[in-house]
Amino acid sequence: MKTLELNFKEKKIPLFLGAGLVFSTLFIEELKKYKAAKIALITDETVFRLFGEKLLAFLKAGGLEAALFSFPEGEQAKTRETKSLLEDQLLAQGFLKDSLFIGLGGGVALDLCAFLAATYCRGVRLVLVPTTLLAMADAAIGGKSAVNTPFGKNLIGAFYQPESIWVDHNFLAELPEKELLNGMAEMLKMALLFDRAFFEELKKRPPVALDLIEKAIRLKQQVVEADEKEAAGRLVLNFGHTIGHSLEKLENFRLGHGTAIALGQIMESRLSMQLGFLKKTDFFEIFSVFKKSHFPLVFSQGISPALLKEALLFDKKASRGPRFILLKEIGKAVPHSLSIEIPEAVLKETLVWGSRRFASKTDLPIYETTQTKGQPTLHL
Amino acid sequence: MKTLELNFKEKKIPLFLGAGLVFSTLFIEELKKYKAAKIALITDETVFRLFGEKLLAFLKAGGLEAALFSFPEGEQAKTRETKSLLEDQLLAQGFLKDSLFIGLGGGVALDLCAFLAATYCRGVRLVLVPTTLLAMADAAIGGKSAVNTPFGKNLIGAFYQPESIWVDHNFLAELPEKELLNGMAEMLKMALLFDRAFFEELKKRPPVALDLIEKAIRLKQQVVEADEKEAAGRLVLNFGHTIGHSLEKLENFRLGHGTAIALGQIMESRLSMQLGFLKKTDFFEIFSVFKKSHFPLVFSQGISPALLKEALLFDKKASRGPRFILLKEIGKAVPHSLSIEIPEAVLKETLVWGSRRFASKTDLPIYETTQTKGQPTLHL
């Protein structure tokens, strides 16, 4: 077991990294230190079935007063409505300011849990337990929390730091392929932005290795410690996300986040090349790594370049026209690239290229959705 | 014109205090310094009719790009639903991270505006323009923001500091009596907690005097600077509010906030006396000041001591039984009074006393409501 420390102005956050951490007496003992009146374990239905029910029993057996609240899985449930329903359930159960919330799950679940904690009684203490590669290597680090709206992803949210983060490798044992790709896409992003050597490692080894997860965490840590509230420095992490978020939104979130930002990274790398920043050889290497990693690089045929361009305007960075994090080389971003105005013709050319390459030729839905709708459920 | 400076860890906030500040070139020039892409002026319907429409025109004439969003007045509209509807309108109008929100209005409006700003794109810049005595002397100071839920007041919210605060005495010229009482009740609270001399002043002069408003601001400033996020120190400001909030909730927010916390302060002062902290003479002096200030000291006859006691358990401080800020003397609170467990018999006795004194003997509604329901409205 290893402990990293994330250093923010307001507090230092311990991050525990290892295998078998959460179902251990260490976890119970750490939780007891918070002296919370009550613990709310909060997760989505899928994670509830996989680990949540067991974890609730484990906490209770450890002598903690806990209840579990589960909500429907997926981006479509990450809404203000789900948050309100959870709030009402928590209030009805008498959870107050001196509660502790444990967010358990992937990126979507942690985003929602953290936002819920951020505004519940103006903020209750929060512990994050990521269960997916994406959540461990990325989403749990940095204090971002949010929900989606019909106008776009993550438009309503807050910056809110947990008390501790528990990266337990055991949760990854049965992670589905799609979830691995979600994590891989964010790890490749960190490598492309900051660290060519890490990029080379990710070409050679499966990303679930604990040292690779740790590397991704440390890279992200540097960025978020330097810019806690997304003043400007942190926006570099949006590489691949400007186009990626727009694709997700146009697909009504049926497209996997990993696939969306893989497509986004490829297209934004190409844009970097077309603007004269990125070498051709680097671009082709980037494109080839995403292909070899088995991302299903395809989106619905209905998403025209014009539709995509329009969607880009709802990006939070776009109020003076669409802006992008651009690459200078593998492992390095273009400094201040958000101040670069993108000539319309160049943007259009890349969107047309992306559409020709990746838009499906068939009418059929090209991926399945496991998302459900419905009310949150309380498990006592 | 005077400028105070509120010093918080994250930032220093200028507070401009004077008459005729907002409809002046100073205001326009300060706003221009923020270089916001767009300005959203946000207020309730009543303030919209009184000042909002005029202020929107003034901002536009000053060369600023602004739109006005108004929402129904009153505590009943201070909800998650109103916030969501406003978010959707703002998003539809293309307001993004680089916007500036101006919260214009009384305490309810500012609480909602500040919470809206706190979570919009994870936080946009906010300017507060209080238009009531309560908002000037109290609500605009300290960074608290919230909405109500069916379970109680202010249960969902955030701490979020504005860029600047504008206390413009001119807004008070036509303030209705009820609004004066709301402000007076909070000012008396500050005096009872911290400053006997201020209490004596408030007995002699109308509270709208600019120097009295400034005094209340400075007293509140000391508390909120020392405890930015309601760790413990700030809870002292809850004097009168434990019972006050419960009354408001049981009355479904038709009871004025000032009246509710006047009743709360009287009853919590009596509790302080019954517990042996507060002298009889001090209690009678407190009671008499509230009577002489023309607070309509009455609540619905249906609110029994038992109902009131049950409602106290939904207070954010109550997870180990109801807790109160108690008075030691006029101008001084009992230190650490939240750790004092209140004997059930003593609490009951005070609630029964309050009910005998203040519960209405008639079936008729004892106050009018001006509150409306409905959708927020956009004014371009």
Side-chain angles (χ1 to χ4, degrees), chain A residues 29 41 167 211 333 343:
Chain A
E29 272 155 31
L41 184 59
V167 174
D211 66 313

Side-chain angles (χ1 to χ4, degrees), chain A residues 20-218:
Chain A
L21 298 176
V22 168
F23 287 96
S24 78
T25 51
L26 172 69
F27 188 57
I28 298 284
E29 272 155 31
E30 285 293 318
L31 291 182
K32 283 186 175 163
K33 286 185 192 163
Y34 300 124
K35 296 190 193 302
K38 281 171 141 190
I39 292 178
L41 184 59
I42 302 166
T43 191
D44 66 41
E45 303 293 357
T46 304
V47 178
F48 166 68
R49 284 188 298 271
L50 289 170
F51 315 113
E53 201 162 11
K54 246 168 42 186
L55 186 54
L56 178 65
F58 184 73
L59 296 180
K60 284 181 174 174
L64 294 160
E65 193 185 332
L68 190 146
F69 302 77
S70 67
F71 51 85
E73 197 206 340
E75 291 281 359
Q76 282 180 322
K78 192 178 125 181
T79 60
R80 293 168 290 190
E81 293 72 31
T82 304
K83 178 172 175 277
S84 287
L85 292 167
L86 284 165
E87 284 160 358
D88 289 346
Q89 287 186 350
L90 285 155
L91 289 166
Q93 292 297 317
F95 282 81
L96 292 166
K97 183 87 184 165
D98 52 6
S99 308
L100 177 75
F101 289 5
I102 301 178
L104 175 75
V108 169
L110 296 195
D111 272 9
L112 177 57
C113 290
F115 188 34
L116 184 72
T119 69
Y120 194 83
C121 295
R122 294 201 188 94
V124 295
R125 288 163 299 168
L126 171 70
V127 163
L128 291 181
V129 181
T131 60
T132 64
L133 182 60
L134 172 109
M136 291 181 190
D138 182 37
I141 318 300
K144 273 171 101 165
S145 77
V147 293
N148 304 323
T149 79
F151 293 91
K153 266 188 84 171
N154 296 334
L155 288 171
I156 307 298
F159 292 95
Y160 197 69
Q161 297 290 0
E163 303 300 313
S164 59
I165 304 170
W166 296 75
V167 174
D168 185 342
H169 199 251
N170 281 6
F171 287 119
L172 299 182
E174 292 165 68
L175 202 68
E177 168 77 6
K178 185 183 154 193
E179 274 302 334
L180 279 178
L181 289 180
N182 286 340
M184 178 70 168
E186 294 288 0
M187 290 168 83
L188 279 169
K189 181 193 80 177
M190 298 307 289
L192 288 173
L193 287 170
F194 303 118
D195 196 326
R196 173 143 214 159
F198 185 39
F199 182 75
E200 298 302 330
E201 284 298 309
L202 288 172
K203 280 160 71 177
K204 279 183 268 178
R205 293 199 281 145
V208 289
L210 204 49
D211 66 313
L212 296 179
I213 296 173
E214 183 183 339
K215 181 73 197 169
I217 290 171
R218 286 186 187 275

Side-chain angles (χ1 to χ4, degrees), chain B residues 121 130 163 314 349 374:
Chain B
C121 295
E163 303 300 313
F314 274 102
E349 199 277 341

Side-chain angles (χ1 to χ4, degrees), chain B residues 16-36:
Chain B
F16 301 91
L17 187 82
L21 297 176
V22 168
F23 287 95
S24 78
T25 51
L26 173 70
F27 188 58
I28 299 284
E29 271 155 33
E30 285 292 317
L31 291 182
K32 283 186 177 163
K33 286 185 192 162
Y34 300 124
K35 295 189 193 307

Side-chain angles (χ1 to χ4, degrees), chain A residues 318-330:
Chain A
S319 66
R320 289 174 173 108
R323 294 298 156 106
F324 298 90
I325 302 299
L326 300 167
L327 284 190
K328 193 170 160 1
E329 58 187 76
I330 291 172

Side-chain angles (χ1 to χ4, degrees), chain A residues 187-203 219 239 265 269-270 272-273 277-290 326-334:
Chain A
M187 290 168 83
L188 279 169
K189 181 193 80 177
M190 298 307 289
L192 288 173
L193 287 170
F194 303 118
D195 196 326
R196 173 143 214 159
F198 185 39
F199 182 75
E200 298 302 330
E201 284 298 309
L202 288 172
K203 280 160 71 177
L219 287 172
F239 173 62
Q265 287 180 74
S269 294
R270 190 166 186 286
S272 305
M273 178 180 75
F277 293 108
L278 187 69
K279 275 186 302 185
K280 253 190 176 166
T281 50
D282 274 4
F283 169 68
F284 286 119
E285 197 179 341
I286 294 168
F287 194 2
S288 117
V289 165
F290 280 104
L326 300 167
L327 284 190
K328 193 170 160 1
E329 58 187 76
I330 291 172
K332 218 169 250 170
V334 175

